[in-house]
Amino acid sequence: MARAVQRVTATALGPYQTAVVRIGFSLTWLLFLLRELPHRHELYGPDGPWSWEMARRLIADNHAFSVLMWSDSGLWFEIVYGLAVLSSALMLLGWRTRAVSVVFMAGVLSLQNRSIFMGDGGDNVVHLVALYLVLVRCGQVWSLDARRRAREAREADLGRPARRDVVGPLLWTVLGVLLLVATSYSPVTGEWWLIVLLWALWAAQALWWLACRHAPGEPRTLLDVLANLTHNAALLVIMAEVCLIYATAGWYKIQGSRWQDGTALYYPLKLDYFSPWPAVSDLLGSSALMVLLLTYGTVAVQVAFPFTLFNRKVKNVLLVAMMLEHAGIAVILGLPFFSLAMISADAVFLPTAFLVWLGSRAERGKDRLLARRPAGAMPGPRRADEDEPPRTLVG
């Protein structure tokens, strides 16, 4: 028990898994926003069937968060949509993830809560994970933040003075101003607890900055322990959320008569809306045995997956099966963003050894593409016995 407590408090678990989750969901949301760029006004803007006044009345009742309720002007909508695209790209690159994750979350919630009938199951998953990423230290590896920390560590080893960070305090100040505006609009923005949470995160960054520079001993260690606990708790919630999604989906399917007789997959294959490749859909739907196997296999995998977490080998096999299933849904049924969101959620269970190998192969491929020798190993997660480089307010 003592070893378990030490591990949970001294280490931010799953650095590679959380990095993949960050990359996957930010990429999903970014590609969706870019694809719908010509139709943004009809989806979430002033030209949509769900008008701004209707959205205001609904949000006044359900208290959902959306900064689009601050104004019904087209200019304000364009600013929010542009910030959503920008924050998704920066989140994908892992630039100042602590600050950008908050803007990313605000963009996701604002657009999705503006037009509630435009989303699907994949959007719901993005909605939830955007909240959790604010509490997760998802920039430990495979990010510009990790690259910056590695550069600072090398310069410190060489005895060079630390560079003064201007971007971090500037971002912290800008976010503070935005929080003041959000607080003033809190009656029409959404739930009050979310504004309180954002203020708590904003104050925690200032407290961390002060502890790193003026109290590097026990106060700094205590803050690091609290950050690790928050990270590990949010990571556990993401894992539980994925298991809950598959468990409920599988058990609801069992209750359906079409899933019981093994013909459920046949019907969406015959819908034009879910047939981007009619020839492929007709070929698959013409085989009764294939439809039967895929229908029963889908139910079996979804129901069994939460129970396989206690056996690593079986879990990995079912994880590959679920990812292949979502890849097939993306191609055959024409639901790429739903599938990409679910694959990104599944990635939280990928083995660390596989992710490390995948990262090393990507690094080699990049070096070969750039025709240069590797400059060094990829930055890995910080060990418990290592001192972390000084942090900025939001860096």
Side-chain angles (χ1 to χ4, degrees):
M1 184 178 296
R3 286 196 299 268
V5 172
Q6 174 68 18
R7 180 170 175 78
V8 171
T9 57
T11 308
L13 302 176
Y16 292 96
Q17 287 81 359
T18 53
V20 173
V21 171
R22 184 200 82 233
I23 293 171
F25 278 98
S26 59
L27 179 63
T28 301
W29 188 240
L30 176 63
L31 293 178
F32 175 78
L33 293 179
L34 292 178
R35 190 194 72 170
E36 301 298 342
L37 189 64
H39 315 291
R40 63 190 184 279
H41 292 156
E42 290 77 13
L43 287 176
Y44 305 111
D47 298 335
W50 191 253
S51 66
W52 184 88
E53 181 61 27
M54 296 170 68
R56 186 190 65 80
R57 293 181 181 181
L58 180 63
I59 289 177
D61 183 59
N62 63 12
H63 305 289
F65 178 87
S66 179
V67 299
L68 288 175
M69 294 298 99
W70 295 359
S71 174
D72 60 348
S73 69
L75 177 60
W76 176 239
F77 169 76
E78 297 293 349
I79 292 174
V80 173
Y81 199 93
L83 287 177
V85 173
L86 179 61
S87 62
S88 301
L90 295 178
M91 195 71 174
L92 176 65
L93 298 175
W95 184 82
R96 307 284 176 171
T97 51
R98 293 188 175 183
V100 173
S101 63
V102 178
V103 183
F104 175 76
M105 176 199 67
V108 171
L109 299 185
S110 297
L111 291 175
Q112 290 189 358
N113 291 333
R114 166 63 177 83
S115 298
I116 59 173
F117 296 109
M118 296 299 176
D120 57 14
D123 293 319
N124 292 336
V125 178
V126 174
H127 191 111
L128 292 172
V129 175
L131 291 168
Y132 304 146
L133 285 178
V134 176
L135 304 176
V136 172
R137 306 173 81 170
C138 54
Q140 298 179 91
V141 297
W142 297 343
S143 65
L144 295 180
D145 289 345
R147 183 184 294 270
R148 186 181 71 253
R149 288 194 294 266
R151 183 181 65 248
E152 292 174 354
R154 289 194 300 268
E155 292 178 352
D157 293 339
L158 296 175
R160 298 175 182 174
R163 300 181 182 180
R164 182 181 180 184
D165 186 17
V166 179
V167 178
L170 180 61
L171 279 175
W172 182 79
T173 304
V174 172
L175 290 178
V177 174
L178 292 177
L179 276 177
L180 284 175
V181 177
T183 304
S184 64
Y185 280 98
S186 58
V188 297
T189 300
E191 288 285 2
W192 63 268
W193 62 264
L194 187 57
I195 302 296
V196 174
L197 174 63
L198 294 177
W199 274 115
L201 293 173
W202 184 79
Q205 296 302 317
L207 182 62
W208 202 317
W209 184 84
L210 293 173
C212 289
R213 281 154 179 78
H214 304 291
E218 292 184 359
R220 170 69 174 81
T221 303
L222 176 60
L223 291 178
D224 204 17
V225 168
L226 294 177
N228 289 334
L229 286 173
T230 303
H231 165 92
N232 295 329
L235 180 60
L236 180 62
V237 170
I238 294 176
M239 298 171 69
E241 194 77 47
V242 176
C243 292
L244 185 62
I245 290 173
Y246 284 117
T248 53
W251 287 107
Y252 270 107
K253 286 181 175 67
I254 289 178
Q255 302 175 38
S257 59
R258 295 294 176 261
W259 291 96
Q260 293 175 6
D261 59 27
T263 61
L265 185 63
Y266 173 82
Y267 299 98
L269 293 175
K270 295 302 180 179
L271 296 176
D272 294 337
Y273 184 78
F274 294 109
S275 300
W277 312 99
V280 178
S281 300
D282 292 339
L283 179 63
L284 186 60
S286 62
S287 175
L289 179 61
M290 183 62 65
V291 171
L292 179 68
L293 292 177
L294 291 177
T295 302
Y296 284 160
T298 299
V299 176
V301 169
Q302 291 182 351
V303 172
F305 177 74
F307 301 100
T308 63
L309 298 181
F310 303 101
N311 189 304
R312 183 176 301 177
K313 293 182 179 179
V314 179
K315 181 263 295 182
N316 291 338
V317 172
L318 289 187
L319 191 61
V320 172
M322 289 193 303
M323 289 185 171
L324 291 177
E325 174 191 347
H326 288 302
I329 291 175
V331 175
I332 298 175
L333 299 182
L335 298 172
F337 299 110
F338 166 78
S339 300
L340 185 56
M342 292 308 303
I343 291 175
S344 302
D346 295 340
V348 74
F349 294 105
L350 287 175
T352 301
F354 169 74
L355 293 176
V356 172
W357 173 83
L358 186 64
S360 63
R361 298 295 296 180
E363 186 75 10
R364 292 179 185 177
K366 184 193 71 173
D367 293 329
R368 291 177 182 176
L369 183 63
L370 299 178
R372 62 179 179 84
R373 298 181 62 183
M378 288 193 315
R382 183 176 62 87
R383 298 196 304 268
D385 57 347
E386 291 180 340
D387 291 330
E388 189 176 16
R391 297 167 183 258
T392 62
L393 290 173
V394 292

